[in-house]
Amino acid sequence: MPILNAPTTGSERITLGTTSTINTLDPADAYGTFPSSLLYNLSDRLYTYKLGTTELEPQLATALPTVSANGLTYTMPLRRGVVFHDGTPFNAKAMAFSLDRFIQNGGAPSSLLSSLVATVKPTADDELTITLKKPFAAFPSLLAFSGACAVSPQAYEIKPGSFKPETLVGTGPYKLVKYGTDLLRFDAFDRYWGKKPANTGIDIQFFSSPANLYNAFRTGAVDVAYQSLALDQVRNLQQGAAVGGWQVLEKTGSGINYLTLNLKSPPLDQLEVRQAIAAIMDRPLLQSRIFLGQIDPLYSLIPTTLAEQKPVFKAQYGDSDRGKATAFLTKAGYSATKPLKVEFWYRSNFINDQLAAITLRAAAKKRLGGLMQIDLKSIESTTAYKNLDKGVYPMFLLDWTPDFLDADNYIQPFIECTKGSAAEGCTEGSSALQGSFYYSDRANKLIDQSRKAQSPEARKQLFAELQDLTAQDVPFIPLWQNKDYLFVQKGLQGASLEVTQKVPFWTLRKA
């Protein structure tokens, strides 16, 4: 594959190689980790995360919002002197336009705001007021979502279904100057209000395979390699860094992998069966044998990158605990002559999922013999996602990448149920969409309380109880947390990999 615009000695442009793909850069319709990382560099939001931390800080706003006593009204002072890439001045009216467009145009991520926001109003030229339909304490974190950025009112329109996939006219440190199928070009924006980029521009080179990206980085044809190399390629670059002179940046990421257990599907409707499966899972084995150390074991739906995380499954079930699993199965009425039989589904187009499923089944058989018989089944991911809420899968291995970095986004999308009962399970709501059908009145009440609580400590206590509930009732089993990797050539400075899976381009510079 030819390398377009490969870096040259002394060039102030940076070339980043990736195997990721994008189909749109329209903030109102873009959904996915890599498009989000591009929008992060081309645009600004009201709030962002301080580099190297999970600490929220103002970006186009100048302070964290003032929140009304009832938790419904958020008032934010805005930055002055900001202009869009097309020269249009930024103000509260433009920000209101951007958020209204995100909601009303009905793109893939629109429900993130449409389900919560009642009105967005410019209450002064440099002041924005947002009124919510219901309290949501994590709202400032949601406003840091990549698509909730400011876009020029002169370049876009508010109209359902109206998107511009090959355009981005924002206020960020870079402006888009070329959109191609194999190459994107960003130039540093000379009128940017903040700190100017340390380079003159970024070229995003798309590769058709991990092998092509790997070879391009090894030969110096790209300055940076990001998403996604194969496990053995990552290991080879780690081991070869001392000789090759390149930098390897590793960061515990925000993505999680877990098992969804269908509580309506016998025998998973028995608590002891779910507890036995939780007890026999072997996370350290996956970490060492399958993922070559490129994951971390996970013992809660909330990852370790958030302060609210509590490793409840480690304390209650451990890893590959034969004694606990046997005791749970015996209590449920199973024995060597009457073994537990359960289907374990995974996505056929994800090779790592297949390897993980095979390994977990083998580990369970080794520890429990014929007491637990796991029948592996696979299906293509697109079909799986369409059928999850139909209850056809007893147990499914899935992954989750948060829309915004807050504990709420690891709890509400999993266990909240808007309609159902303890007897019939969840008939409508998040847990039904996940294919678990878990219903807990207590969980619903705790989620509601956590969304109303403005105190970080109060929210942490509520999330601790919610995590305890997940370990107690086992509607899901957390398995592992992803790690992110960034490979950077020798002589390139300022590279960083954020917990949010974003790579700030503006700090990159050639020595």
Side-chain angles (χ1 to χ4, degrees), residues 286-300:
L286 291 177
Q287 182 185 37
S288 60
R289 182 173 297 180
I290 300 303
F291 292 101
L292 309 179
Q294 296 168 34
I295 62 162
D296 288 321
L298 183 65
Y299 299 94
S300 168

Side-chain angles (χ1 to χ4, degrees), residues 28-45:
D29 199 36
Y31 218 176
T33 302
F34 193 71
S36 293
S37 200
L38 299 182
L39 291 177
Y40 173 71
N41 288 278
L42 289 166
S43 60
D44 297 316
R45 285 138 294 281

